[in-house]
Structures are given as C-alpha cells and as structure tokens.
Amino acid sequence: MKCRHCAAPLEHTFLDLGFAPPSNAYLTDDDLARPEKYYPLKIKVCDQCWLVQTEDYAQADELFSSEYAYFSSTSTGWLAHAASYAEKMTGQLQLTQDSLVIEVASNDGYLLKNFVAAGIPCLGIEPTASTAAAAEKLGIAVMREFFGEQLGKQLATTGKQADLIAGNNVYAHVPEINDFTRGLKAALKPGGTITLEFPHLMRLIEHTQFDTVYHEHFSYLSLYTVERIFKAAGLRVWDMEELPTHGGSLRIYGCHAKEARVTTPAVRAMLAEEARRGLQTLATYQNFQAKADRVKDDLLAFLIEQKRAGKKVAAYGAAAKGNTLLNYAGVKPDLLPFVCDAAAAKQSKFMPGSHIPILAPTALDEQRPDYLVILPWNIAAEVKQQNAKLAELGTKFVTAVPKLEIV
C-alpha cells in the first residue's frame, strides 16, 4: 500500500485493532441471523508526509450507505457549536443574500439551517439518503453525491462557486483526500474561504483516543500534513484555531494559494508545537499501541469486576467510538447488557460486532444501573446533565478513555 497523499510506500504501523465491522453498520433483528462483514482495522503512518491512514480494504460506498445512521442534530452541544460558527462566519465574511455557502457532508442540515434562517443561499452535498432527506425537510437544497474534483468543477461551470465552503468532520472520512481537496479548490470562488474541522492527531495521541479509529476515518490529520495537502492542490492554510469538540479538533481556514491574505502566527505556532510533540518522529507512533491496550484491559477488568459483584452496568451513546472500543475489547451483552441512545434511527437495533441491543434512554429509568459507561466521552458533561436524576438515585458515570474513571 502507498500513501494516499504522497504515494510513498507505507512501512510503519501506528495501531492494529484486529478485525471489526464498520462502526456505523447497526444491525436489525434479521441481520443477527446473517453473516457480518469484518475488515482489518490497522492504521499506518507515512514517514514522508506523516499522513496517518487506514489500510485499503473497506469502500466508501459500503461505509456510507443509505442506512448510515449518524445524525448530527442528536447532540444539543453540537447544534450550539454549529449555530455559533454560522453567526461568526456570517459576520466575518459579510455574507448576504447574494452569497453562497456550500457544506460538504451536510448531514441532516444541522449547520446550513442557520444560514437558511438568515436568508443566505446555501447548498448541501450529502451522499447519505437518510440524512439528506432530513435536511431537505428544513428547506435546504441538497446534492446527493460524494464530493471530489469532478463535482467541484461541475459546480464551478454551473455558476455555483462558493463564498464559504464548510466541511465539519468530513476531511478524515474521504478515501481520496487529494481529489477531495482539488474539488474544494475548484468550487471556491476567488476571494472565498474554506473552513474544515477535524479531530487533531496531536490530541488523539496525547489522550490515547484510539477509539476514534474506525473504518469510516480514512485519515488522521495534523496541521503539518493538511498544509502539505492544501499546497499541492493550489490552496493555502492561512489561519487555524483549536476547538474542544471531539476531544480536541482543529478548524483550519483556507484560501486560494496566491491570495494576499497573511498567514497568521497561530499557524506557525501550531506547526512548531506539533514538531515539539514528535509528530514527525516515528517513535511517537510506534509507542502508541501499548497505551491503547492499557485502556482496553482496564475496561475489561472493570466490567468483569462489576459482573462478579452483582452490579448492573449499562452504556450510553451508540457512537462509532464506542463500537471501536467494545469490539477491540471483545465486550458482549454478558458484560454490557444494553446501550441507550437518543437517536431514534439507532433504537431497537444492535451494535455492530458486539450485538449489544440499543434502547431508548427511558430504559435507564426502568433499569437504574449502578454504573453508566459513557461511550462518547467527548459529550460526557452533556450526558451527565441529561441524566441528573439517575445520579440522584445512585448511578455512577464512567468513561474509559483516556483512562477508566468515575466522572
């Protein structure tokens, strides 16, 4: 296998999580009687451009099918994040009814609905039928296609170059990252702005966030590597900011390479910090497996201990990161009888691989578990707040990453 950006041979493994099904391939009752597809879940690092990437096995159209069940609007914190971004960009870029905002991977309209409400024309690009339909009900125009250079050029030739192109948590999900970036270049109006948000590889390593590794994530990104990819496509990263979302993300601001915008000190400072943390040093990647194994072992030990003590344990959040963790640890319903999730699309289904049933949050009131394991640790505070009554009744909340602790 060769690097998806620079085509150098990939000779170094960053993390090997064995075999797992796609993390968002939730199962129905009927599915439980059928064979389940598993793929190797191994992450490589390129020692030339330092792009961290999955091995080439799963295909995008298998991972992001019409039944793909991730709906962004499920999280109230994420909705607030999107609304704040829309307000900020509208003011900063002076967007009006004569502007155009394009969001790549627009999901269920969680972001673009804010621009619609402000009277700013927008267009969503979303290949997943279930989420695209939800966005269209909000009055958002959606193209149900995968984004890349061909679609970017099509938009340009039909007069749909954007003043703002937004991409939240999509850049890591694209298998052909060079083609995708050239698409951004083609669809961007002269003087326009690109913003991309993605989990920061530096924070993944720092906080042992190995559960954010799954097949849908083709890439794990540092600012250093993104800047190289942008430069190769005729774009430039001119600003960036750190965000608390998803355990630590970057929001980068891009423009056409030859524009006059000055690159901010924040970009240089983060590049220096990544270098200081060893993100261009092989040893940093080769030492990570042992940290992931420690998290896995501690979770298993905790669940076995509670089962032997006769305690009730449940989990909250049928998130992709939870599926990675549970499948790597080999957790089944005997140790974790059920997971609750607020997304109706996931309820009455089963977690891929582990086959743990997914129930509505009301099940927690009936079961009153002694411990509730919050699988999407990035929204632990939100989950605790929503389930404050359980805490009053004695339930303790647990997270497993970056280490097992009562929160």
Side-chain angles (χ1 to χ4, degrees):
M1 180 180 165
K2 293 184 178 179
C3 174
R4 293 195 185 101
H5 170 56
C6 72
L10 290 178
E11 299 173 345
H12 308 286
T13 297
F14 171 40
L15 182 65
D16 187 349
L17 297 178
F19 287 74
S23 285
N24 279 293
Y26 298 93
L27 305 170
T28 64
D29 276 312
D30 290 343
D31 292 329
L32 296 182
R34 302 188 184 105
E36 190 174 5
K37 276 191 177 181
Y38 279 64
Y39 300 93
L41 189 49
K42 185 182 289 187
I43 311 301
K44 299 278 194 177
V45 59
C46 174
D47 60 10
Q48 299 300 307
C49 70
W50 302 102
L51 177 62
V52 174
Q53 54 208 284
T54 54
E55 283 193 318
D56 287 328
Y57 289 104
Q59 300 299 309
D61 57 357
E62 292 182 341
L63 299 176
F64 303 106
S65 70
S66 61
E67 296 302 314
Y68 188 69
Y70 184 84
F71 286 77
S72 296
S73 293
T74 303
S75 169
T76 55
W78 185 246
L79 287 175
H81 173 77
S84 173
Y85 164 86
E87 183 179 1
K88 175 180 178 178
M89 298 311 296
T90 299
Q92 187 173 315
L93 303 181
Q94 298 182 320
L95 300 174
T96 68
Q97 61 186 14
D98 297 320
S99 306
L100 177 62
V101 177
I102 292 177
E103 185 185 12
V104 182
S106 51
N107 201 263
D108 59 8
Y110 75 99
L111 173 65
L112 290 182
K113 67 180 183 181
N114 296 288
F115 293 104
V116 169
I120 299 166
C122 58
L123 173 66
I125 312 291
E126 175 55 62
T128 305
S130 54
T131 54
E136 287 166 343
K137 288 179 181 177
L138 299 174
I140 298 165
V142 181
M143 294 182 72
R144 300 188 184 196
E145 297 185 41
F146 284 101
F147 184 79
E149 184 175 15
Q150 183 178 348
L151 183 53
K153 288 181 174 178
Q154 179 186 326
L155 291 168
T157 58
T158 55
K160 292 181 179 176
Q161 283 187 313
D163 299 272
L164 171 63
I165 301 177
N168 289 344
N169 302 306
V170 61
Y171 207 36
H173 287 71
V174 295
E176 302 294 339
I177 198 164
N178 291 339
D179 179 78
F180 182 93
T181 309
R182 290 192 297 266
L184 297 175
K185 163 78 173 170
L188 186 66
K189 187 181 292 185
T193 298
I194 298 164
T195 70
L196 299 178
E197 294 182 21
F198 49 84
H200 192 190
L201 176 63
M202 187 177 84
R203 300 303 178 196
L204 182 156
I205 294 171
E206 178 185 1
H207 298 299
T208 322
Q209 296 166 350
F210 79 93
D211 57 340
T212 62
V213 170
Y214 31 92
H215 301 102
E216 292 91 333
H217 277 177
F218 288 90
S219 303
Y220 302 84
L221 299 162
S222 62
L223 180 60
Y224 174 86
T225 300
V226 169
E227 190 182 52
R228 287 181 62 132
I229 296 169
F230 263 48
K231 184 177 181 180
L235 295 168
R236 178 167 56 86
V237 177
W238 61 273
D239 197 8
M240 56 108 341
E241 57 185 310
E242 290 191 89
L243 304 172
T245 52
H246 298 286
S249 297
L250 294 184
R251 177 188 290 155
I252 59 106
Y253 295 78
C255 63
H256 291 291
K258 295 183 180 179
E259 281 198 17
R261 273 183 260 199
V262 175
T263 301
T264 67
V267 174
R268 292 188 290 274
M270 180 54 72
L271 290 171
E273 179 67 7
E274 287 182 348
R276 188 183 71 80
R277 301 269 192 123
L279 263 65
Q280 291 112 56
T281 305
L282 265 179
T284 300
Y285 301 94
Q286 293 171 330
N287 295 333
F288 189 73
Q289 182 79 47
K291 297 177 182 178
D293 288 345
R294 191 177 311 118
V295 171
K296 180 254 297 181
D297 294 346
D298 288 349
L299 173 64
L300 261 180
F302 170 79
L303 293 175
I304 292 169
E305 179 185 351
Q306 301 316 318
K307 181 180 180 180
R308 288 175 173 165
K311 300 293 186 182
K312 279 188 182 179
V313 182
Y316 191 97
K321 56 171 56 73
N323 286 321
T324 293
L325 175 62
L326 297 178
N327 282 319
Y328 186 47
V331 175
K332 304 291 183 183
D334 63 314
L335 291 177
L336 196 60
F338 66 94
V339 176
C340 287
D341 199 282
K346 296 180 183 179
Q347 292 165 11
S348 300
K349 292 187 176 180
F350 298 84
M351 302 278 268
S354 67
H355 298 180
I356 296 170
I358 304 169
L359 308 179
T362 51
L364 295 172
D365 298 324
E366 301 160 7
Q367 297 290 333
R368 293 189 186 179
D370 297 294
Y371 294 95
L372 186 64
V373 180
I374 303 173
L375 296 174
W377 40 260
N378 52 303
I379 58 168
E382 182 180 322
V383 173
K384 281 186 67 178
Q385 184 178 11
Q386 291 170 346
N387 294 279
K389 287 184 180 179
L390 279 180
E392 293 172 6
L393 295 170
T395 297
K396 295 177 181 177
F397 298 88
V398 180
T399 53
V401 178
K403 62 180 181 179
L404 192 94
E405 61 181 337
I406 309 294
V407 294

